[in-house]
Each structure stands twice: as C-alpha cells, then as structure tokens.
Amino acid sequence: MNFTILSARDLRLSYGPTRALDGVSLDVQVGDSVAVMGASGSGKTSLLHALAGILLPDSGAVRLTAPDGPLEITALSDRERTRLRRERFGFVFQQGLLIPELTAIENVAIALMLNGVDRGAANQAAAGWLAALGLAGLEDRRIGQLSGGQAQRVAIARAQVTGASVVFADEPTGALDSQTSAEVMSALLDMTVARGNTLVLVTHDAGVAARCSRIVDVRDGRIVGERVGA
Ligand SMILES: Nc1ncnc2c1ncn2[C@@H]1O[C@H](COP(=O)(O)OP(=O)(O)OP(=O)(O)O)[C@@H](O)[C@H]1O
C-alpha cells in the first residue's frame, strides 16, 4: 500500500546567522529510498535530524503516519520524541551509534531490550538479523574486532531489529572503500525497502545515491531539485 509516511512542511532552522533549513517541504512515501545530496554545510544532516525528531526546527512541521494514526513529531516533548525514535525509527550513522565495549549481538539485542523485550528473545532476534546480514559466527566479536563493512552491517541489524518503519542513515558508507560501500548499500536496501520499509539517507557519494529511488538535492538549506534514482 502506497501512502505518505513522513511529511515535512516549511522547515526552518537557524544557527545564529546561518540558515541550516530555509523552508524545506518533503513528502516521503512508504517504500521510498530517498538520498539527500548537497555540498558540505548545505543542510543535509539538519534535514535528516529534523525528519527523525532528533532536533526540533524553529518552525514548520513533521508528520509521521504511524499505525495508530498521524503523529506530529514537531509537537512532541523531548521524552516523547526519544520514545518515538526508539520504537519507530532505526539509525545507521557513519560511526558512533554502536557501543565498542559490547559484542555484535549485544549491540543489536540492546535495541530490543530498550523497548522492553527480554534478553532471550532479543538475542534470538538479533542472531537472526546478524545471520541475514552475513555475520553468522561473528556474534561474539566486539565492534573493534570487525571490519568497517561488518560494523555497518551490525548497525543495519540494529536499525531494523525493532521493526522500525523508517531507517535514517547519515553517510552510511562514508568510511568504506567503493567495493565495501556497494555491498553495505545492497544490505541496507535489502533489509529496509525490500521488506516494505522506508529509507532516508544522506550521502556525498553519487554512486550510493543512484541506488535510491529518489535523489533530493539540497543547497543553502533548501531543496533545489529532485531526480529519479534506481
Ligand atoms: N550545532 C550547530 N551549531 C552551529 N551551526 C551549525 C550546527 N549544526 C549545523 N550548523 C550549520 O548549519 C549548516 C548546515 O549544517 P548541516 O550539518 O545540516 O550540513 P550538511 O549538509 O549535513 O554538511 P556536511 O556534509 O558537512 O555534514 C552549516 O552551515 C553548519 O555549519
């Protein structure tokens, strides 16, 4: 079923004199893979963070179509947005989201345990996702004992183990060579849009963006164009 899962209207956000977002509106359909591209400082991460409820814009609205009805993310309290992110969204960032002291399976299972799932069930689900991502046998390695591509696969497992309907990725392949980048991008698409979920990602890499169904070009805090991708 095709419907608008995320809708942003006239988002504005300034840091002092810098307009990070200068009137951005964007509708994301369920099953879309949207690549946000633009020069450094153009507002890509600000847009991703505003869509995901990580930051609140100065004005404008972000609405999510949740299973129990529409939800205005920009009207929620900090606590409500934290819960929403934990339950409905998944995140894959270049670095920083995985806990280096924990093993691969612990990093994935913890996302479920934070939502109240018991350890046994969480470990079982985590093992299934790691296996689906080609990481069977590496469950007990700490993140530092994995390659960059393997660590990003753990991040993908963590982002989807909760059944999140939207995954946000910020430069998910930024630290990877081109071959590994292509493999991680395949894994990211297979685990999200191929399962009926939605992906919004920020990338500098035209090859990564071309794998997405929509490419949105951002400049000076505005959307200046959109192209069709894969
Ligand atoms: N916390 C902050 N404090 C001050 N200025 C900020 C802050 N966050 C972002 N900015 C500024 O807002 C503008 C947009 O930043 P943003 O990080 O969204 O851009 P970006 O396109 O993601 O950049 P990059 O590709 O370099 O990550 C930039 O000019 C940036 O310097």
Side-chain angles (χ1 to χ4, degrees):
M1 198 173 50
N2 201 21
F3 60 91
T4 301
I5 188 153
L6 262 183
S7 177
R9 282 290 161 271
D10 201 21
L11 301 182
R12 292 173 193 273
L13 172 71
S14 291
Y15 293 104
T18 305
R19 289 186 186 169
L21 297 176
D22 193 15
V24 173
S25 297
L26 179 69
D27 284 333
V28 178
Q29 310 298 314
V30 71
D32 272 354
S33 46
V34 181
V36 179
M37 293 199 82
S40 182
S42 56
K44 305 181 297 294
T45 295
S46 299
L47 174 57
L48 192 86
H49 286 190
L51 290 172
I54 294 172
L55 64 73
L56 276 181
D58 300 330
S59 64
V62 177
R63 282 193 193 82
L64 171 74
T65 306
D68 37 358
L71 197 61
E72 189 159 331
I73 297 176
T74 33
L76 300 177
S77 67
D78 279 0
R79 182 188 289 253
E80 289 167 329
R81 281 186 286 115
T82 300
R83 183 169 173 197
L84 175 89
R85 290 197 300 271
R86 225 174 44 213
E87 293 181 352
R88 304 240 188 263
F89 295 157
F91 296 92
V92 179
F93 290 166
Q94 191 173 326
Q95 55 195 11
L97 280 186
L98 298 175
I99 302 167
E101 294 78 13
L102 298 185
T103 63
I105 195 164
E106 287 168 340
N107 265 284
V108 179
I110 201 171
L112 281 174
M113 288 162 66
L114 285 170
N115 286 349
V117 176
D118 71 62
R119 183 182 295 268
N123 278 335
Q124 200 175 355
W129 277 90
L130 290 174
L133 282 151
L135 296 173
L138 302 179
E139 296 88 347
D140 296 327
R141 292 235 189 133
R142 290 183 204 285
I143 300 306
Q145 298 172 315
L146 297 173
S147 69
Q150 288 167 339
Q152 282 307 65
R153 287 166 190 271
V154 175
I156 294 167
R158 183 189 157 117
Q160 281 286 246
V161 71
T162 56
S165 47
V166 186
V167 171
F168 295 94
D170 197 347
E171 298 283 5
T173 63
L176 306 175
D177 64 71
S178 53
Q179 162 95 24
T180 311
S181 166
E183 289 166 7
V184 165
M185 195 55 199
S186 296
L188 187 54
L189 290 166
D190 284 351
M191 295 296 139
T192 56
V193 291
R195 293 165 182 249
N197 291 327
T198 304
L199 176 66
V200 182
L201 68 81
V202 162
T203 185
H204 277 108
D205 184 331
V208 166
R211 309 267 314 265
C212 294
S213 60
R214 299 168 61 189
I215 304 168
V216 169
D217 293 306
V218 174
R219 191 192 307 150
D220 298 332
R222 295 172 187 223
I223 293 178
V224 293
E226 176 163 347
R227 294 168 280 151
V228 176

